[in-house]
Amino acid sequence: MKSGPTRAPHRSLLNALGVSEAEMKRPFVAVVNSKSDYIPGHAHLDTVAEAVKAGIRNAGGVPFEFRTIGVCDGLSMNHTGMKYSLPSRELIADSIEVMLTAHPLDAVVFIPNCDKIVPGMLMAACRLNLPCIFVSGGPMLPGNYKGRRMGLNEMFEAVGSHAAGQITDEELTAMERTACPGCGSCSGMYTANSMNCLCEAIGLALPGNGSIPAVSGARLRLAKEAGETVMELLAKNVRPLDIVTEKAVENAIRTDMAIGCSSNTVLHLTAVAHAAGRDITLDDFDRIGKATPQICKLNPAGSTFIVDLDEVGGITAVMKELARGGLVHTDCETVSGTVAHKIAGAPDADGVIIRRLEDPFRKDGGIAVLKGNLAADGCVVKQGAVAPEMMVHTGPARVFDCEEDASAAIYGGKIQAGDVIVIRYEGPKGGPGMREMLAPTAALVGMGLGKSCALLTDGRFSGATQGAAIGHISPEAAAGGLIALVEDGDTISIDIPARRVELLVDEAEIQRRRADWNPPVKELSGYIKRYAQHVTSGAAGAVFED
């Protein structure tokens, strides 16, 4: 873009930006920042970006910043806006591809901090294959209400408690003023923190990326170090596809299972692997999950928060413990040397927040992949956050064709203990957009039904969800999946240890219903219409058709 006589016009435009003659000879490095004024996880990203730029300049580069869009899943939850959350992932990846192809720079530092932004940037990184590094804005500190630490999921659960008359208006207001105390990605092992942790595990971020608090000076030092490190990666010509190998993706899945990440990570790691040309399927998650113990139990599944994990060594300490059992590939390259090099200086598992392999929270991973006639292509559940009494459950179906109707029934006291709530036509095509269902799942918990009711959907769940919440049911209802044929009162059997979910209706009746079924027609326009036309199933990561 800047070398030789034919690029004189280009250099003249760069001169207009104030680029000096000396800078013209140095590497140009993109700083891709997802800053926005109304996402709490992003409110401070200007400060992070300035630290990144300082690191780039320290190492002899010239930084150029541009911004991406970003959706806050909390603010877009339980209304039409959530239909645009997952679709924003593709827009983010596409827009970065546009910017860095139209203005070809030498290397990239990505600064994400929320749910779909991290995977969108990872997908773009794999497509472009420029030397790059990730540095997130870091997690929010937990809130505190009457001595109890809490996060956003407890706030959603409080809505259910309020609807059930268990807390007053004044208590609800007091909680909302303390649940989210400042900037950063929401404080539990929700999707944003899950993906920021997995950036470390896959090898594209420095140690601490997923766990150092947003408000810490260590976060700014990490950002500065990331800016310096990207210059080293450029000098060595180390690119994302050198790092994101199939073994690296397996390391990420292992870590995912060990720390009990959001079920959304199944969608996102599948999509990232697809962008990198790696063959990863739900069967790989199932295989790895069955052989990987869960050694961390973080909020919402437990009372431990991301900042607590950071204090005992973070993801490098987790991977060190997994490596002790031969469960990670230590020869994989990362942005800071091999995995073996990276974990060498990490502390040993403390035995409490990071349990030893001999004493895990559970013997298999935090996420389970289920199949059965109700999900022939698979579905997922964050089993590490399911109450023991709900690991096996059989109950009558309560069927709803959208999230709003299900939420109204829950808040209206129309759901009984033992019910299996089915929310359909919320899949990637049918929603469209595969909405998260945090509001109804949190309402069930808040109303005291979290240990007696299950919820199944072809949509998905927030990482803040707990309970027997089974999502990504594929094929989805809009594609003619069996979930479209479930009727009120049908018996549904869930057996998470056996990895099964079944509709207990005889085949003749199913065929009769199928003959009468027609998918609902939704009037769509704009981007969401184009998205519905091109998106694949949740089992395939909800990527676009090739």
Side-chain angles (χ1 to χ4, degrees):
M1 189 173 70
K2 62 180 180 176
S3 299
T6 61
R7 296 295 184 259
H10 305 66
R11 290 192 296 275
S12 69
L13 290 169
L14 293 168
N15 285 333
L17 293 174
V19 176
S20 70
E21 187 174 347
E23 287 176 325
M24 205 76 76
K25 299 173 183 176
R26 298 173 188 162
F28 284 4
V29 181
V31 177
V32 186
N33 188 357
S34 56
K35 156 77 179 180
S36 84
D37 285 345
Y38 62 87
I39 302 180
H42 297 208
H44 63 307
L45 292 190
D46 278 349
T47 306
V48 175
E50 288 305 314
V52 166
K53 291 178 186 178
I56 292 168
R57 293 189 185 101
N58 287 347
V62 183
F64 290 85
E65 181 182 350
F66 69 90
R67 295 185 177 181
T68 69
I69 62 166
V71 171
C72 174
D73 278 21
L75 292 173
S76 64
M77 194 69 67
N78 73 347
H79 60 82
T80 301
M82 180 49 73
K83 292 179 182 289
Y84 286 80
S85 174
L86 183 60
S88 75
R89 186 187 71 182
E90 316 309 309
L91 279 177
I92 290 164
D94 289 349
S95 66
I96 294 169
E97 178 186 341
V98 167
M99 286 294 288
L100 290 179
T101 305
H103 315 111
L105 305 189
D106 299 298
V108 193
V109 180
F110 292 99
I111 309 176
N113 214 37
C114 282
D115 297 27
K116 311 309 168 293
I117 300 160
V118 190
M121 288 185 174
L122 284 167
M123 292 160 66
C126 292
R127 285 188 206 170
L128 293 161
N129 203 29
L130 292 167
C132 75
I133 192 168
F134 281 68
V135 58
S136 75
M140 183 186 294
L141 297 175
N144 190 305
Y145 177 68
K146 293 184 176 181
R148 174 198 177 200
R149 294 199 303 170
M150 63 181 297
L152 186 65
N153 65 293
E154 285 86 0
M155 200 61 244
F156 273 93
E157 290 164 9
V159 175
S161 298
H162 180 266
Q166 297 170 9
I167 63 173
T168 65
D169 291 350
E170 292 75 18
E171 288 172 314
L172 185 67
T173 299
M175 290 178 71
E176 74 183 54
R177 288 175 177 168
T178 61
C180 299
C183 66
S185 48
C186 294
S187 53
M189 187 52 81
Y190 313 158
T191 306
N193 288 325
S194 295
M195 291 305 301
N196 285 331
C197 288
L198 297 185
C199 282
E200 287 187 54
I202 211 166
L204 288 176
L206 294 170
N209 179 71
S211 59
I212 295 174
V215 295
S216 169
R219 173 61 54 180
L220 298 182
R221 294 195 298 273
L222 184 74
K224 196 172 292 184
E225 186 182 353
E228 295 167 347
T229 301
V230 79
M231 298 300 293
E232 297 174 11
L233 297 170
L234 175 60
K236 296 175 182 176
N237 196 30
V238 177
R239 297 171 181 263
L241 296 187
D242 299 324
I243 293 173
V244 186
T245 61
E246 287 191 8
K247 291 201 299 183
V249 176
E250 185 166 317
N251 281 350
I253 298 174
R254 288 274 186 200
T255 306
D256 187 343
M257 296 295 176
I259 63 178
C261 285
S262 163
S263 58
N264 280 316
T265 58
V266 177
L267 279 176
H268 298 327
L269 285 178
T270 302
V272 171
H274 178 80
R278 313 305 181 206
D279 186 20
I280 300 295
T281 69
L282 282 183
D283 290 338
D284 294 298
F285 282 89
D286 184 46
R287 169 181 58 83
I288 295 168
K290 286 177 178 177
T292 308
Q294 183 177 353
I295 57 176
C296 295
K297 201 173 184 71
L298 302 166
N299 178 274
S303 58
T304 302
F305 288 80
I306 301 291
V307 294
D308 304 317
L309 178 62
D310 186 66
E311 289 176 359
V312 296
I315 297 303
T316 50
V318 171
M319 295 185 75
K320 182 177 183 179
E321 180 62 15
L322 292 174
R324 191 173 66 84
L327 295 176
V328 294
H329 301 286
T330 57
D331 59 338
C332 285
E333 291 292 337
T334 77
V335 292
S336 53
T338 64
V339 170
H341 171 78
K342 187 165 70 169
I343 67 177
D348 293 336
D350 70 312
V352 179
I353 294 172
I354 305 173
R355 287 196 178 179
R356 307 279 286 180
L357 292 174
E358 295 82 5
D359 180 36
F361 286 99
R362 49 180 310 117
K363 294 181 180 179
D364 54 357
I367 296 174
V369 176
L370 314 183
K371 290 191 176 181
N373 69 347
L374 199 51
D377 294 340
C379 58
V380 299
V381 60
K382 188 174 180 177
Q383 64 173 343
V386 177
E389 52 265 55
M390 289 301 295
M391 293 296 287
V392 177
H393 179 75
T394 299
R398 295 297 309 281
V399 183
F400 304 93
D401 286 350
C402 67
E403 178 190 359
E404 287 83 356
D405 290 351
S407 293
I410 295 168
Y411 289 128
K414 298 179 181 179
I415 300 300
Q416 306 298 317
D419 286 348
V420 179
I421 301 165
V422 175
I423 306 178
R424 63 191 178 194
Y425 298 111
E426 291 283 9
K429 284 185 178 293
M434 205 178 187
R435 284 195 287 184
E436 286 185 355
M437 306 290 171
L438 178 56
T441 57
L444 287 172
V445 173
M447 298 178 80
L449 294 170
K451 295 182 179 180
S452 59
C453 289
L455 195 157
L456 279 64
T457 182
D458 50 9
R460 58 196 177 89
F461 296 106
S462 165
T465 290
Q466 58 175 314
I470 299 170
H472 309 192
I473 287 180
S474 301
E476 63 175 289
L482 187 58
I483 188 174
L485 307 182
V486 181
E487 296 183 357
D488 272 338
D490 285 349
T491 301
I492 293 176
S493 171
I494 300 164
D495 191 334
I496 296 174
R499 305 296 199 265
R500 301 296 296 176
V501 57
E502 300 279 349
L503 175 65
L504 302 184
V505 172
D506 68 71
E507 187 60 29
E509 173 62 14
I510 289 173
Q511 292 306 317
R512 185 194 67 77
R513 294 179 189 179
R514 188 170 296 283
D516 294 336
W517 174 77
N518 288 297
V521 177
K522 296 185 177 182
E523 294 297 326
L524 304 173
S525 62
Y527 174 60
I528 203 71
K529 179 177 181 178
R530 298 196 302 275
Y531 181 85
Q533 290 169 342
H534 296 290
V535 70
T536 60
S537 77
V543 297
F544 280 179
E545 296 168 342
D546 288 330

